Amino acid sequence: MYTRDELSVQYQYSDGQNDLEGSTVVRWLVDGEQADTGLSYIVSPADAGKSISVEVAPVAQTGSVNGVAVKSENVTAKARSFILFEARDTEGNQSTWTTDGTNAGTQIIANFNANEEGVELVDAIDFGEKKILSVNSDGKRRMAVTDGTSEGTVIFNDNGLDTLSPTGFTEFKDKVYFNGYSAVNGHELWSTDGSQEGTSLVRDIAWGNLDGNTPRSSNPSHLTVLNDTLYFSAYTASAGSELWSSKGTGSQTAMVVDLHPGLYGSSLTHFNTLGDKLFYTAEFYAFPARGVYVYDQSKDTNTRLHKAFLNRAHHFAAYNDKAFFVSSERGQKGWLLSLIHI
């Protein structure tokens, strides 16, 4: 049984005194609390993971009015899931489809008017029972949201949202954060609750214009959640690309550390987490050019790991309380790749 399913109950009324049925009470219970009354109930998205049952309390018109209530067994509601894919029909028309794994649940949800390469669906992230999308539509990269049905698929067009060109979707604090574009602010940090009215700029980090009406862009990238904080790389004219963090609001968004003071910044990449630590690689002025850094959130310290084999480390992964990197070094017969753990 899945969310958005409609449940119904049937019962047979009988009375030992042959009294006629009165206003029998039918209650739908979610985790033991009344959620609705009546002969049917539509499972809410909020019911996912919860126990649902129905209780029938017979009521007679006369005689012994109240009978003994009868309650069904509990069933657990599962969140409805679906996947998206692109396909062409027999006439070569490309559309975005959805499926829940059944024939009946496989259908076209939209034709976003793909770009010349025919790619409609660029990126997607699960968000509750919906998916937030980055799609090519009418020559623009736009944001959209879908619940897996054509009726529940909406392209964001209101209030200038048709230019967002979103990238880097990351769920954080009941919202999705991303790199979004506007003609006024350039590419900056945005957030959405899955609705057009709930989509807004978090902070214009690289404020001002390059020249004329061309806005500066901080281009937030590598969005990574560690405990209650969102970390990312962002550019400013005064510091270049450095490590930034956000608690979810503009006033709580700030640079964490300026590794390399000056205009060129640090060119941060390969973000990942382990425990209370954020691992990433960053530019280093002297040879070797790139090193591994660790930001310890619990101590608010940032440290470079001075190990020779980490000078060209990349592709971080965390496993069994250890941090793994791939390290590349030039040997006599070409580049050597080594798997290193810390």
Side-chain angles (χ1 to χ4, degrees), residues 170-173 177 189 222-232 243-249 252-256 271 273 276 278 295 297-298 300:
T170 303
E171 186 172 358
F172 175 62
K173 290 189 175 180
Y177 288 73
L189 184 65
H222 310 294
L223 278 63
T224 303
V225 176
L226 177 59
N227 298 324
D228 64 344
T229 306
L230 178 68
Y231 294 92
F232 55 96
L243 181 64
W244 282 66
S245 71
S246 178
K247 298 285 188 180
T249 65
Q252 295 174 307
T253 301
M255 186 189 298
V256 177
F271 281 44
T273 62
D276 290 329
L278 175 73
Y295 175 73
Q297 188 185 62
S298 62
D300 192 24

Side-chain angles (χ1 to χ4, degrees), residues 80-83 85 97-109 148:
R80 184 174 294 279
S81 60
F82 59 92
I83 62 172
F85 63 97
W97 291 62
T98 181
T99 182
D100 60 6
T102 66
N103 185 59
T106 302
Q107 58 182 317
I108 294 175
I109 61 166

Side-chain angles (χ1 to χ4, degrees), residues 63-334:
S64 299
V65 176
N66 296 324
V68 178
V70 178
K71 180 175 171 293
S72 70
E73 294 183 355
N74 290 324
V75 292
T76 301
K78 297 180 180 179
R80 184 174 294 279
S81 60
F82 59 92
I83 62 172
L84 300 174
F85 63 97
E86 294 181 11
R88 296 183 184 274
D89 60 23
T90 55
E91 297 180 355
N93 299 313
Q94 180 162 312
S95 300
T96 298
W97 291 62
T98 181
T99 182
D100 60 6
T102 66
N103 185 59
T106 302
Q107 58 182 317
I108 294 175
I109 61 166
N111 183 336
F112 293 114
N113 296 320
N115 61 4
E116 293 180 359
E117 289 77 24
V119 178
E120 288 192 337
L121 183 61
V122 180
D123 194 11
I125 184 173
D126 292 329
F127 188 57
E129 285 202 318
K130 299 181 179 181
K131 293 183 188 292
I132 296 176
L133 316 176
S134 178
V135 299
N136 286 317
S137 177
D138 295 327
K140 296 181 180 180
R141 179 78 56 82
R142 300 186 179 185
M143 179 176 285
V145 63
T146 182
D147 63 2
T149 67
S150 57
E151 299 81 6
T153 300
V154 178
I155 297 178
F156 288 13
N157 288 320
D158 294 348
N159 302 319
L161 298 181
D162 59 331
T163 66
L164 276 177
S165 191
T167 60
F169 290 139
T170 303
E171 186 172 358
F172 175 62
K173 290 189 175 180
D174 298 324
K175 291 186 177 181
V176 170
Y177 288 73
F178 59 95
N179 178 335
Y181 175 83
S182 73
V184 175
N185 306 111
H187 291 275
E188 294 293 345
L189 184 65
W190 285 66
S191 70
T192 182
D193 63 3
S195 67
Q196 296 194 73
E197 59 272 16
T199 301
S200 61
L201 176 71
V202 177
R203 177 176 172 178
D204 187 358
I205 294 173
W207 55 271
N209 292 338
L210 290 170
D211 54 68
N213 295 323
T214 303
R216 295 185 187 274
S217 294
S218 70
N219 274 316
S221 58
H222 310 294
L223 278 63
T224 303
V225 176
L226 177 59
N227 298 324
D228 64 344
T229 306
L230 178 68
Y231 294 92
F232 55 96
S233 170
Y235 171 87
T236 61
S238 59
S241 295
E242 293 293 352
L243 181 64
W244 282 66
S245 71
S246 178
K247 298 285 188 180
T249 65
S251 62
Q252 295 174 307
T253 301
M255 186 189 298
V256 177
V257 60
D258 188 354
L259 287 177
H260 299 147
L263 303 179
Y264 295 102
S266 304
S267 182
L268 280 59
T269 56
H270 303 114
F271 281 44
N272 217 315
T273 62
L274 178 64
D276 290 329
K277 297 178 180 179
L278 175 73
F279 287 77
Y280 60 95
T281 65
E283 196 76 17
F284 194 61
Y285 286 133
F287 180 84
R290 182 166 294 277
V292 176
Y293 288 79
V294 182
Y295 175 73
D296 190 328
Q297 188 185 62
S298 62
K299 299 177 181 178
D300 192 24
T301 59
N302 193 76
T303 307
R304 183 172 189 261
L305 299 183
H306 291 281
K307 294 180 182 289
F309 54 75
L310 293 178
N311 290 335
R312 296 183 184 275
H314 51 91
H315 291 86
F316 170 92
Y319 180 71
N320 281 350
D321 297 325
K322 292 184 178 180
F324 288 82
F325 289 88
V326 174
S327 179
S328 56
E329 297 290 343
R330 185 183 294 277
Q332 293 181 351
K333 297 183 179 181

Side-chain angles (χ1 to χ4, degrees), residues 51-73:
S51 296
I52 299 178
S53 61
V54 61
E55 179 187 84
V56 179
V59 176
Q61 291 184 10
T62 57
S64 299
V65 176
N66 296 324
V68 178
V70 178
K71 180 175 171 293
S72 70
E73 294 183 355

